[in-house]
Amino acid sequence: MEQPYVYAYPQGTGPSGPPPPQAGGVIVDPRYCAPYPVDLAIVRKMMKLTDGNFVITDVNGNLLFKVKEPVFGLHDKRILLDGSGNPVVTLREKMVSMHDRWQVFRGGSTEQRDLLYTVKRSSMLQLKTKLDVFLGHNKDEKRCDFRVKGSWLERSCVVYAGESDAIVAQMHRMHTVQSVFLGKDNFSVTVYPNVDYAFIASLVVILDDVNREDRTA
């Protein structure tokens, strides 16, 4: 049975009221929600190796997710796989869009009935990263369910619940000798308790894609 979405603002709360006590919940799958903080280690490799050039592990180095890059140079679709190679979500960029839109679907689907959430830039021109996230049920998109703000260059982006100040995930830069010599971009993301870390991982993939587009623009 499909899991119900969790609204960022329960009844009686909102931008003018107190933030929800536990913003987040199941978005992709309940197995990716933990009652404790989860630290994701992200490695962006300059050269593609066995597990691909974008891998996400836990703090012990166990593979959690990897990204299947598009074939034949098609840059509008990526698939987030679990450690066993099963599709978790499919990310598709809408090629004709004023604010650069990405749609994220359950598993390997791109059908609208499997739409989990949509991401778009908050504005056309940005000096720092600002993304708005709308869950699948939020059709009118008058108020976002999550926000991403910060500096991707410094790997200091933060994910907030709705328009509140409630943080659901936070990014940190990691500097290692290995990253310098092997051409790897290492950073970590702390996912707060009861927040779907597969959802956060897919947001990181979109952030990476936005950054690559900005560099080539």
Side-chain angles (χ1 to χ4, degrees):
M1 187 176 75
E2 186 170 329
Q3 295 293 322
Y5 291 111
V6 176
Y7 288 81
Y9 288 106
Q11 187 175 4
T13 66
S16 59
Q22 287 188 334
V26 177
I27 295 173
V28 176
D29 193 290
R31 61 184 164 149
Y32 299 121
C33 289
Y36 48 82
V38 174
D39 287 316
L40 305 177
I42 290 90
V43 178
R44 185 81 167 82
K45 303 172 185 176
M46 303 307 174
M47 298 180 64
K48 294 184 181 180
L49 301 177
T50 307
D51 290 323
N53 67 336
F54 195 107
V55 296
I56 300 174
T57 70
D58 62 16
V59 291
N60 298 315
N62 298 311
L63 180 64
L64 296 177
F65 307 108
K66 54 188 176 182
V67 178
K68 183 178 180 181
E69 295 284 345
V71 294
F72 305 120
L74 297 175
H75 296 290
D76 63 335
K77 182 179 174 182
R78 283 170 177 75
I79 301 175
L80 185 72
L81 308 172
D82 65 16
S84 301
N86 302 308
V88 178
V89 293
T90 297
L91 304 93
R92 186 179 68 182
E93 182 180 2
K94 297 191 74 172
M95 302 309 289
V96 182
S97 172
M98 290 291 290
H99 287 261
D100 290 337
R101 271 181 146 348
W102 290 261
Q103 292 181 314
V104 179
F105 302 86
R106 189 183 306 280
S109 173
T110 53
E111 299 291 333
Q112 285 300 309
R113 66 174 180 270
D114 294 313
L115 178 67
L116 293 174
Y117 69 89
T118 299
V119 181
K120 70 176 184 178
R121 292 179 191 256
S122 301
S123 59
M124 290 284 290
L125 299 175
Q126 297 184 351
L127 295 177
K128 289 196 172 185
T129 301
K130 291 183 181 179
L131 301 178
D132 293 334
V133 181
F134 305 92
L135 296 181
H137 63 264
N138 191 350
K139 303 298 183 184
D140 58 12
E141 298 186 355
K142 290 182 179 179
R143 186 169 58 190
C144 63
D145 295 285
F146 296 90
R147 289 177 300 132
V148 183
K149 293 180 67 176
S151 170
W152 172 262
L153 184 63
E154 299 170 5
R155 300 300 188 268
S156 62
C157 294
V158 178
V159 183
Y160 298 93
E163 295 170 28
S164 75
D165 293 326
I167 297 174
V168 298
Q170 200 159 4
M171 188 181 294
H172 314 275
R173 190 68 178 264
M174 293 191 299
H175 297 283
T176 65
V177 174
Q178 184 187 39
S179 67
V180 174
F181 285 100
L182 297 183
K184 295 180 180 180
D185 180 15
N186 295 6
F187 56 100
S188 65
V189 178
T190 298
V191 183
Y192 283 41
N194 304 308
V195 176
D196 191 323
Y197 60 87
F199 163 63
I200 299 299
S202 60
L203 276 181
V204 171
V205 177
I206 292 174
L207 278 165
D208 177 70
D209 198 63
V210 171
N211 179 65
R212 279 194 280 175
E213 286 187 359
D214 287 345
R215 284 204 308 262
T216 56

